[in-house]
Amino acid sequence: MDIQTNTIDVRGQQWKEFTLINDHGMSVSILDFGGIITQILTPDRNGKLENVVIGFKNYEDYLDNPAYFGALIGRVAGRIANSQFELDGKTFNLPANEGENHLHGGEPGFHHTIWTVTPFQNTQEVGLTLSHTSPDGENGYPGNLEMTVSYTLTNDNALSITYEGLADHKTVLTATNHTYFNLSGDLKTDIRQHEVTLDSSQFVELDENLIPTGKLADVTDTTYDFRQGRLIQDGVESNDTQNVVAGNGYDHYFIFDHSQAASAIVREAESGRQLTVITDQPGVVMYTSNTLDKGLVLRERESDKYMGLCLETQASPASIHHDGFPSVWLDKGEKYFRKTTFKFA
Ligand code: FUC
């Protein structure tokens, strides 16, 4: 177990990058800026270590990072319709940053925050604790919010992320991490041939602005049925209105049945890599990079559509405006605690 620390100068800012390394050589590199995962090296079937996430080649590109590569997202991951909500008879207005809607916490969100980082290490695990207080009224959100996020790497090639939050006023919170996985290794191929299994029988229907309509749809007999495993390609090729609305692929919230130990499993046949996701979150946004810009300079190559697979475990911001969705409300003094583990094999 080891932690290496690097200092990076980015246009006058000094960032730190921490690399967590386990006894098998698996490593996870994380910036204090945005809590961004910049690289994850895992073995393929022959033990060859390669990168399995999208990261920029030039670190200054993270200053903008419009696709939120690797970043922590909050206070509320996803879209808040019309950039407002009602709480105790008061209307709270948030900055609109995607048409009329508010996406991924606004600016500055968790992804553009320099977090205070404390490394920790013992014989079993190596990790980081990141903390940050988002002040009352930041981006229009009520309450001072104390956040602590931890990244822990173990010797069984598992990366766990825990999120803790505490606010001094009733508020909304659902945090996640926006890593784009690609198990082919060093972005050799895109993710259309990745096979995904999801423990989910319902997903949230979207309108043309990717805002939930309020309807929960049954996955049975659709390209959204991942219960027995399915290639991402199926949704890319599909004429189903929902796949088309998402930009030919997936950009949808799936509600977990929590009937299996693993909420999601991703397999890539060529490399033999497998990613298992275990979480206490009620669901996941699966986004297949349908709208990712071409030509961004990534570590190994230029970006293109379908280059990465995001599994954003979280609650649903649709719960602000509709009944029956996993809630993002957090009471004053209530402890927010969520954990997601990404295990590689
Ligand atoms: C995901 C999607 C969005 C967006 C963003 C970069 O969370 O839901 O559509 O493109 O990431």
Side-chain angles (χ1 to χ4, degrees):
M1 292 286 174
D2 194 15
I3 305 184
Q4 289 169 4
T5 310
N6 252 321
T7 304
I8 300 161
D9 284 297
V10 179
R11 292 203 217 138
Q13 291 187 27
Q14 282 217 330
W15 297 348
K16 282 210 166 96
E17 186 181 50
F18 301 85
T19 300
L20 313 176
I21 308 166
N22 75 9
D23 293 343
H24 308 297
M26 177 181 161
S27 71
V28 181
S29 299
I30 298 158
L31 291 175
D32 57 357
F33 178 78
I36 293 171
I37 296 178
T38 57
Q39 179 169 261
I40 299 182
L41 300 178
T42 72
D44 68 2
R45 63 156 56 82
N46 300 314
K48 185 170 181 214
L49 290 171
E50 288 169 318
N51 181 25
V52 294
V53 304
I54 289 183
F56 281 120
K57 182 171 204 154
N58 305 310
Y59 279 63
E60 65 177 43
D61 289 342
Y62 285 114
L63 278 171
D64 188 19
N65 196 12
Y68 304 85
F69 290 153
L72 294 175
I73 307 292
R75 298 185 186 193
V76 172
R79 293 177 173 82
I80 298 180
N82 297 314
S83 304
Q84 60 171 232
F85 60 87
E86 308 284 322
L87 170 58
D88 296 336
K90 237 182 110 178
T91 301
F92 288 85
N93 292 296
L94 314 170
N97 57 351
E98 193 191 60
E100 290 168 357
N101 305 314
H102 175 85
L103 174 66
H104 288 335
E107 298 296 339
F110 292 176
H111 64 293
H112 279 162
T113 292
I114 297 192
W115 294 71
T116 304
V117 180
T118 313
F120 59 86
Q121 182 175 354
N122 59 46
T123 53
Q124 299 307 316
E125 55 188 38
V126 65
L128 305 174
T129 303
L130 291 77
S131 53
H132 167 63
T133 300
S134 169
D136 180 33
E138 186 174 51
N139 289 339
Y141 289 105
N144 294 294
L145 173 71
E146 284 171 36
M147 280 302 297
T148 305
V149 176
S150 72
Y151 286 103
T152 306
L153 176 65
T154 58
N155 269 331
D156 57 354
N157 288 1
L159 172 69
S160 290
I161 312 179
T162 62
Y163 303 85
E164 288 171 76
L166 190 63
D168 61 3
H169 189 285
K170 186 172 179 181
T171 191
V172 283
L173 174 66
T174 186
T176 195
N177 175 282
H178 209 297
T179 290
Y180 290 70
F181 295 100
N182 181 322
L183 302 183
S184 69
D186 294 344
L187 307 183
K188 277 198 284 294
T189 61
D190 67 33
I191 50 114
R192 283 176 289 183
Q193 297 305 314
H194 281 43
E195 187 204 48
V196 175
T197 305
L198 294 178
D199 179 21
S200 168
S201 52
Q202 282 186 310
F203 73 101
V204 169
E205 187 186 83
L206 300 176
D207 70 12
E208 61 286 351
N209 294 319
L210 305 177
I211 296 295
T213 60
K215 190 186 158 207
L216 288 176
D218 185 337
V219 301
T220 309
D221 296 328
T222 71
T223 48
Y224 296 81
D225 193 347
F226 285 89
R227 290 173 294 185
Q228 304 301 322
R230 176 181 289 282
L231 295 181
I232 294 304
Q233 178 75 16
D234 290 356
V236 172
E237 284 175 347
S238 160
N239 293 322
D240 176 283
T241 329
Q242 284 292 303
N243 287 129
V244 174
V245 156
N248 301 109
Y250 300 94
D251 193 355
H252 290 79
Y253 186 71
F254 290 80
I255 297 185
F256 291 134
D257 297 336
H258 283 301
S259 67
Q260 311 286 326
S263 292
I265 300 173
V266 186
R267 295 188 177 89
E268 203 277 316
E270 197 64 29
S271 69
R273 286 191 181 88
Q274 176 173 315
L275 167 61
T276 302
V277 182
I278 297 159
T279 186
D280 57 10
Q281 287 279 16
V284 65
V285 172
M286 182 166 78
Y287 171 58
T288 50
S289 319
N290 326 315
T291 54
L292 181 61
D293 285 340
K294 261 183 189 290
L296 304 174
V297 183
L298 309 179
R299 203 182 276 276
E300 298 87 358
R301 62 187 285 183
E302 289 197 356
S303 67
D304 208 341
K305 279 176 100 162
Y306 310 119
M307 193 63 84
L309 175 72
C310 297
L311 293 167
E312 305 157 54
T313 55
Q314 58 175 103
S316 172
S319 61
I320 292 174
H321 300 116
H322 301 280
D323 292 332
F325 289 78
S327 174
V328 299
W329 291 105
L330 183 73
D331 277 328
K332 173 182 175 178
E334 182 192 351
K335 265 198 171 166
Y336 176 95
F337 182 90
R338 304 285 186 277
K339 180 175 181 180
T340 298
T341 299
F342 299 96
K343 190 173 187 311
F344 294 88

